[in-house]
Amino acid sequence: MKIVLATSNSGKLREFKQMCQEEVVAFSELLGDLDIIEDGESFAQNATIKARTIYEKLQEQYPSEPFIVISDDSGISLPLLGGSPGIYSARYAGEGATDKANLTKLLTTLQDQGVTRTPAYYTAAIAIISDLGEYVVHGWMHGDAIDHARGEKGFGYDPMFIPTHYTQTLGELDDPIKATLSHRAQALALAKPIIQMLQRSAS
Ligand code: ITT
């Protein structure tokens, strides 16, 4: 059974492909480009909206094929900023903002407040949908946000995030290290038994 990833984010796609043994396919390979309105009020709601939208489109276009759809809604939260950007991480610098613009805005926000380092955490909600139902799991990664970008690895806010127990940012640490720590990896570890159960139930 095909596992379809309901994401257009190339950074997430790369990490999911590295972390999943099974073949995962980006929804765009089956459905082309689609713009999904994420108007939920939590990571879980937005993850469900994305997975449901893709699952319904797949059912329309491939009615006799079974699919498992997984989505990821994620973001970074700073207690200093009341949890911002949180679910608005992708549009912190405005609708359609680039990763670079969002990163720059968060760096500038810290610099304007004279804060060089402050606690932060990433959250990921992964929604899983098949004809057997809908599931949502969460993962978190804690650390500190700093007021300048370091390193080119990862994506998004990674150059300003130092995981707990590390001295380097996720922009400096290699992908396999991030894959042992990340919010996405923690959520995926909970998602995998559900995906396996759905695969077993279908066969
Ligand atoms: P899809 O909805 O198509 O999956 P998106 O980029 O719009 O892609 P989200 O709405 O979940 O995804 O927004 C996630 C935001 O949080 C985005 O700005 C990312 O850069 C940031 N983010 C999430 N996980 C991250 C990670 O592991 N490293 C760095 N930034 C991350």
Side-chain angles (χ1 to χ4, degrees), residues 16-36:
F16 270 110
K17 288 201 165 182
Q18 281 166 357
M19 291 188 291
C20 289
Q21 255 85 43
E22 300 101 316
E23 268 297 282
V24 286
V25 184
F27 80 81
S28 58
E29 290 178 38
L30 298 164
L31 297 171
D33 283 344
L34 268 176
D35 202 20
I36 302 172

Side-chain angles (χ1 to χ4, degrees), residues 27-133:
F27 80 81
S28 58
E29 290 178 38
L30 298 164
L31 297 171
D33 283 344
L34 268 176
D35 202 20
I36 302 172
I37 297 164
E38 298 174 32
D39 55 2
E41 289 174 4
S42 65
F43 291 109
Q45 283 180 9
N46 282 335
T48 304
I49 289 168
K50 288 188 262 196
R52 222 179 255 161
T53 306
I54 297 303
Y55 188 72
E56 284 166 6
K57 296 264 182 223
L58 287 168
Q59 279 189 313
E60 272 168 41
Q61 292 209 21
Y62 306 91
S64 55
E65 227 182 298
F67 292 101
I68 295 174
V69 175
I70 60 177
S71 66
D72 165 310
D73 198 70
S74 44
I76 192 168
S77 301
L78 276 59
L80 175 82
L81 305 177
S84 277
I87 63 166
Y88 303 106
S89 292
R91 41 199 151 121
Y92 189 46
E95 209 58 57
T98 60
D99 270 12
K100 182 115 203 303
N102 289 326
L103 172 69
T104 303
K105 175 155 184 203
L106 192 53
L107 290 169
T108 309
T109 303
L110 293 187
Q111 288 158 9
D112 288 349
Q113 297 197 17
V115 172
T116 55
R117 185 168 177 144
T118 186
Y121 58 93
Y122 279 111
T123 305
I126 293 182
I128 306 139
I129 303 193
S130 81
D131 58 355
L132 291 177

Side-chain angles (χ1 to χ4, degrees), residues 6-9 12 15 38 50 72-76 89-90 99 102 122 155-158 178 183-184:
T7 182
S8 312
N9 181 310
K12 289 185 191 177
E15 291 186 7
E38 298 174 32
K50 288 188 262 196
D72 165 310
D73 198 70
S74 44
I76 192 168
S89 292
D99 270 12
N102 289 326
Y122 279 111
F155 67 96
Y157 298 93
D158 285 343
K178 183 177 177 188
H183 49 313
R184 187 159 298 108

Side-chain angles (χ1 to χ4, degrees), residues 121-164:
Y121 58 93
Y122 279 111
T123 305
I126 293 182
I128 306 139
I129 303 193
S130 81
D131 58 355
L132 291 177
E134 300 185 359
Y135 307 80
V136 183
V137 292
H138 287 86
W140 289 270
M141 171 169 48
H142 291 267
D144 285 334
I146 56 172
D147 69 342
H148 57 286
R150 288 187 352 215
E152 305 282 319
K153 294 174 186 157
F155 67 96
Y157 298 93
D158 285 343
M160 64 177 297
F161 185 84
I162 302 177
T164 303

